Amino acid sequence: MARPPSPRPMLPALLLLLPLLLRAGDHLPTEGRLMNSCIQARRKCQADPTCNATYHYLNSCASSISTSSPAEEPSVPEDCMEAAQQLRNSSLMSCTCHRRMKNQATCLDIYWTVHPARSIGDYELDVSPYEDTVTRKPWKMNFSKLNMLKPDSDLCLKFAMLCTLNDKCDRLRKAYGEACSGSRCQRHTCQRQLRSFFEKASEPHAQGLLLCPCAPTDQGCGQRRRNTIAPSCSLPSEAPNCLELWHICLSDPLCRSRLVDFQTHCHPMDILGTCATEQSKCLRAYMGLIGTAMTPNFVSNVNASVALSCTCRGSGNLQEECERLEESFSRNPCLMEAIAAKMRFHSQLFSQDWTASTFSMMERQDKNPALRPQPWVPSLFSCTLTLILLLSLW
């Protein structure tokens, strides 16, 4: 009996599949690659004389936008709004930026130039200038060296030690520690170094320091957590009016961007507290505000409540608006639950029974989006192994 023909045509097909397997996860934007950067969109606009002229006109509109005091209703000249409408079909209208990108300030300036109405606070709640990206870096922390601490050390101290054991985290933390120390305190320098830490340190280290869980009776732990952002230097010594902070923030493209990002991702959509996006995005937006005029912090050493360092006293006819702004931090159910979920996650990391804790975490990740891992992305090793298995069958 003749042997059936060998399915050799399958080999070219498998070889053709290899590049697709190796790029299987590339549909997810990463930190180093933006889908439509405002800097790239601006270059495209420069090649079009009409688009370029309109952009320059919009750029001159920045000085025409009135935001002279919190009590005044800000406005944008009608001709500036018409110019922005002329760019509605340009890639500039959908461009975005990234917190860790180079030339972030330039990117944000471009974004706000083409969105003049949003620059005065007249923005929708789903138009953050920042693109949502996926971080594929695995959690890497050296827990083994924590045995040098006392077994009953609080978790804030343990996370501080983990940061110290990481060269990059330790270097960035020392930089803002020096800039924010009492004798050398200059608020703008301190805030800039704080922003640098939360932008450049790995997210697990930064979140561990900021959102370490403490027992209500452990005030030493709570004080360590409150002092993470060096509030004696980074925050005003006397609480200003919250609307004044809001006004200062709107005048700064970076602070304005972080505030809109926070309102986009930590916004309850209804009276039931349904949140607009995932808890991880809300926490990332919350941390992005640290080091700006709208820097929030824990209000005491005994609980995990957070608030802006401001007051609504003396708001006059704008009392309601002021309270709404203040309560978007202090009484925000989306933010409160995101912080609580992350603290529960951090507690489980230091559970005594590591195997049981890992299993428990996996169970809770299925129920809680904040603890759920990112979608699996095939690695080079797994793709190569798949190809070898297919070839062995061939």
Side-chain angles (χ1 to χ4, degrees), residues 58-66:
L58 277 173
N59 202 28
S60 67
C61 285
S63 58
S64 304
I65 296 175
S66 170

Side-chain angles (χ1 to χ4, degrees), residues 38-89:
C38 289
I39 294 177
Q40 296 170 350
R42 174 72 185 105
R43 291 195 191 106
K44 293 179 183 177
C45 180
Q46 286 176 320
D48 180 345
T50 302
C51 179
N52 195 37
T54 304
Y55 179 86
H56 278 296
Y57 186 81
L58 277 173
N59 202 28
S60 67
C61 285
S63 58
S64 304
I65 296 175
S66 170
T67 56
S68 56
S69 76
E72 289 186 20
E73 187 72 24
S75 61
V76 178
E78 187 175 346
D79 55 342
C80 295
M81 295 299 295
E82 291 176 357
Q85 282 296 311
Q86 293 176 20
L87 292 177
R88 62 185 178 276
N89 295 324

